[in-house]
Amino acid sequence: MMKKITIVMTGIMLLMACHTDKTKEYADELLQTANSQFEQKHYDAALQTIDSLRRTYPKAIDARKQALVLQQNIELTRAQEELAVVDQALQKAKADYERMKRQSEAHHKAGTATADELTRTTLMRMHRDSLQVQFDVQCAKIKYIHKRQKQVE
């Protein structure tokens, strides 16, 4: 009887060991897929793969830690790319607004400014301010991600 119990327990332990190795292997494969997607700039797909890894393999601690680092890198890269786009648009909007402002002030002094011209200038100022807010948010996001990365290290 003891021999049967020992054999059954040994079999169960072997199955669990194989399952753990397979779990780690599958989690590592998902992590590699996410890394590949990140390198190809498929950020949303990479984040979905990381989410799948985290939900499917909650006990794959090493893979999850690496996935967290990858997730932060993805978010940082996306924020930096968005910052570059917003910065370019902001510089153009600032130049356009200054040009429109000088022109409308000159027309206002001469008494020839139209309501439409003043409205367009105001709308351009609002657009510039909106871009400035987006720029500031992206800068804050990048600083926050850098701070979190330092905490993980």
Side-chain angles (χ1 to χ4, degrees):
M1 180 71 164
M2 285 300 273
K3 285 184 180 182
K4 286 183 182 180
I5 292 174
T6 305
I7 292 171
V8 169
M9 293 299 286
T10 303
I12 290 173
M13 289 173 55
L14 284 172
L15 285 174
M16 289 178 66
C18 290
H19 177 70
T20 303
D21 290 341
K22 289 291 185 188
T23 298
K24 182 183 179 331
E25 184 180 314
Y26 294 145
D28 288 343
E29 285 177 17
L30 278 177
L31 185 60
Q32 284 180 325
T33 300
N35 271 312
S36 175
Q37 291 166 330
F38 171 60
E39 289 170 4
Q40 296 171 6
K41 299 185 182 227
H42 298 190
Y43 304 131
D44 290 333
L47 291 173
Q48 288 175 351
T49 302
I50 290 169
D51 187 51
S52 293
L53 184 153
R54 295 171 79 190
R55 279 186 286 111
T56 308
Y57 304 106
K59 294 182 181 179
I61 303 301
D62 289 336
R64 289 172 56 100
K65 285 180 181 178
Q66 292 175 21
L68 176 62
V69 171
L70 178 59
Q71 182 178 6
Q72 289 174 338
N73 288 336
I74 292 168
E75 293 299 338
L76 178 62
T77 301
R78 284 170 56 157
Q80 289 170 333
E81 288 176 0
E82 180 67 22
L83 180 65
V85 170
V86 171
D87 184 45
Q88 187 175 14
L90 178 60
Q91 297 309 315
K92 183 180 180 327
K94 282 180 176 181
D96 290 347
Y97 171 68
E98 288 303 319
R99 181 185 45 79
M100 291 174 78
K101 180 181 170 188
R102 282 192 305 274
Q103 186 178 28
S104 64
E105 285 176 349
H107 289 161
H108 184 70
K109 284 181 183 178
T112 59
T114 65
D116 185 49
E117 177 183 27
L118 296 174
T119 300
R120 282 193 318 252
T121 303
T122 300
L123 290 174
M124 180 54 74
R125 186 187 75 233
M126 291 168 58
H127 177 65
R128 179 207 62 192
D129 292 349
S130 172
L131 288 170
Q132 184 66 54
V133 168
Q134 290 177 35
F135 181 86
D136 293 343
V137 166
Q138 290 303 321
C139 286
K141 186 175 183 179
I142 290 169
K143 286 178 186 177
Y144 179 75
I145 293 169
H146 281 302
K147 180 180 175 184
R148 294 293 296 185
Q149 286 177 327
K150 286 179 184 176
Q151 290 174 346
V152 172
E153 293 175 348

